[in-house]
Amino acid sequence: MSAETSPFSKPPAFHSDDIPPSSPEIAAFHIIPAPWETSASYGGGTAYGPAAILHASIQLEAYLDGGVPGASGIYTAPFVNCDTDPEATLERVREPIGIALSQGKIPILLGGEHAATLGPILEINSRGIDFGVVQFDAHADLRNSYQGNKYSHACIMRRIHDLNIPIFQIGIRSLSASEARFRETNRIPHLDADEIARSGFPETLLPTGFPKNLYITFDVDGLDPSLIPCTGTPEPGGLNWYQATEGLENAMKGRKVIGADVVELAPLPSQHASDFITAKLVYKMMDLILKNR
Ligand SMILES: [Mn+2]
């Protein structure tokens, strides 16, 4: 691995080899790197995720599935300082998200661990926007607290549920008995990985009453570990590439994406496929968001 591609060296702006970086005022997308890592319960390393995604993004083709999504403009914000305690870090994550939203841009946060998602959620919610969250993940993340930490990655969807924000879960295949009960009692809609493997996606994925505005949170362990081995808590039986893009496309149909994140990449030297696939996932999300506008 050369110094230029090491996740530890200074990263370039997203996709900036082929696509000149845009100013924040002109770009359709604001990429916000948030190297949050406080609560990894198994494999660590998510703090290096954003840099690894940015390095890998240099290798992407600008042309993707019939167009050049990057032509709409991509601005890469400075890294969020995530070295402080969770409450202070949340405030720091909210700041660039707020700037993007105020300018009518689509923020895409690069984690970092899944706890970082709470930043954009709190910021969008504070603006009185009616929205729902579509979660791609291996794990339900519905624990009330985990290892004594209510900001753990294992609790993120519970924190969102606490705010009365509707949730739809896709690709889940690992949860505790109490999370399964909680999901049932609270009627949290979902399409689990085994159902997707058996029958694919239904024609209409989201329930009729689900909000028109969507925030998409994509934990890369929702994908199969044969695609992304570099993640803290890998689970077998995940989505393949085309299932993931079909799920994204289906969820976005007739709705408007107001923000998104891709979290939980924990890069390892010599395992660059994970980094590249995550970068491509970010770019593919941009493509689908633009096609659904
Ligand atoms: Mn997960």
Side-chain angles (χ1 to χ4, degrees), residues 101 106-108 124 214-217 256-261 289:
L101 294 173
I106 300 161
I108 302 183
I124 296 168
L214 295 188
Y215 181 90
I216 294 177
T217 180
K256 184 183 167 206
V257 176
I258 55 171
D261 64 57
I289 289 169

Side-chain angles (χ1 to χ4, degrees), residues 114 135-141 153 219-222 231 233 263-264:
H114 212 159
Q135 171 203 10
F136 289 79
D137 207 320
H139 312 93
D141 292 347
H153 62 99
D219 181 331
V220 296
D221 67 30
T231 188
T233 40
V263 296
E264 295 286 348

